[in-house]
Amino acid sequence: MSTPEGKPGAIESLASFLDMKGSECLNESDDHPFSNCLKEGDSVLQSDCDEQLILSLAFNQVVKVHSIKLHAPSAKGPKTVRVFKNQPRTLDFSQAESMTSIQDLELSGGQLDGKEIPLKFVKFQDVQNIQLFVRDNQTGDEVTQIDFLELFGTPKQTTNMKELKKAG
């Protein structure tokens, strides 16, 4: 399904296209913040008051999102994840519960070991931001934990208007 690396249209990590200034997380622990789960290593993201999290990821250009990869402990890892795109601002928890999502994911413990979790690619073509609402975790624990989160897809080819030449 994916084409060889380096070719236009190849599925790749979208980490280099993240706009961290426009990205945020609601209900993150002060000791285990959002930025921890966006880089591999020993640091993790944990929820604070309860098990729910809202991860809002903004991109510095329009992308097509193909799949996500999650590393998380099988007990505290996300279970129900609602995926939204191109929201004008970060959703609050009541909006995330009540609004229609683009896709809902029911994750099993086996999907939390870094396996690619495909999204409905046709629904994620012109993505400027993506929001993941973690409704609950695998065991109903008070704390949800994400060790590493990575999105995969392709940058959308855009036209640089400065390079256009008048025809004729």
Side-chain angles (χ1 to χ4, degrees):
M1 178 158 189
S2 60
T3 55
E5 287 298 327
K7 301 253 168 111
I11 304 295
E12 61 184 283
S13 170
L14 296 174
S16 63
F17 300 103
L18 285 176
D19 172 13
M20 292 314 297
K21 285 187 177 78
S23 299
E24 66 176 331
C25 180
L26 301 185
N27 195 34
E28 67 187 336
S29 162
D30 290 339
D31 297 331
H32 302 284
F34 182 37
S35 58
N36 287 356
C37 76
L38 298 176
K39 55 185 184 289
E40 288 190 87
D42 294 334
S43 55
V44 301
L45 164 66
Q46 286 187 343
S47 61
D48 188 23
C49 298
D50 60 20
E51 74 281 5
Q52 295 187 332
L53 287 165
I54 293 181
L55 305 147
S56 178
L57 296 152
F59 297 99
N60 57 24
Q61 74 173 74
V62 177
V63 297
K64 300 175 182 184
V65 182
H66 175 267
S67 56
I68 62 175
K69 278 188 185 180
L70 274 171
H71 286 271
S74 57
K76 292 183 178 183
K79 181 179 179 185
T80 309
V81 180
R82 305 193 74 214
V83 187
F84 301 86
K85 74 170 189 177
N86 298 343
Q87 296 299 311
R89 66 190 71 80
T90 302
L91 299 172
D92 63 33
F93 288 95
S94 64
Q95 289 172 315
E97 284 281 5
S98 63
M99 286 176 58
T100 303
S101 65
I102 304 297
Q103 185 172 354
D104 288 346
L105 303 171
E106 278 294 322
L107 304 178
S108 65
Q111 290 176 296
L112 300 175
D113 62 358
K115 285 190 179 77
E116 216 169 295
I117 302 162
L119 296 177
K120 295 176 186 163
F121 190 52
V122 67
K123 301 268 189 187
F124 294 94
Q125 292 296 302
D126 295 306
V127 180
Q128 294 163 327
N129 67 59
I130 195 164
Q131 298 191 18
L132 307 174
F133 168 48
V134 178
R135 181 185 283 158
D136 52 17
N137 59 40
Q138 295 293 319
T139 58
D141 197 271
E142 275 296 300
V143 175
T144 296
Q145 179 174 316
I146 299 173
D147 300 342
F148 185 59
L149 167 69
E150 194 168 19
L151 297 161
F152 289 87
T154 57
K156 185 143 182 194
Q157 300 303 318
T158 56
T159 303
N160 183 344
M161 298 309 278
K162 291 178 183 165
E163 293 176 4
L164 283 181
K165 306 236 182 316
K166 196 170 192 177

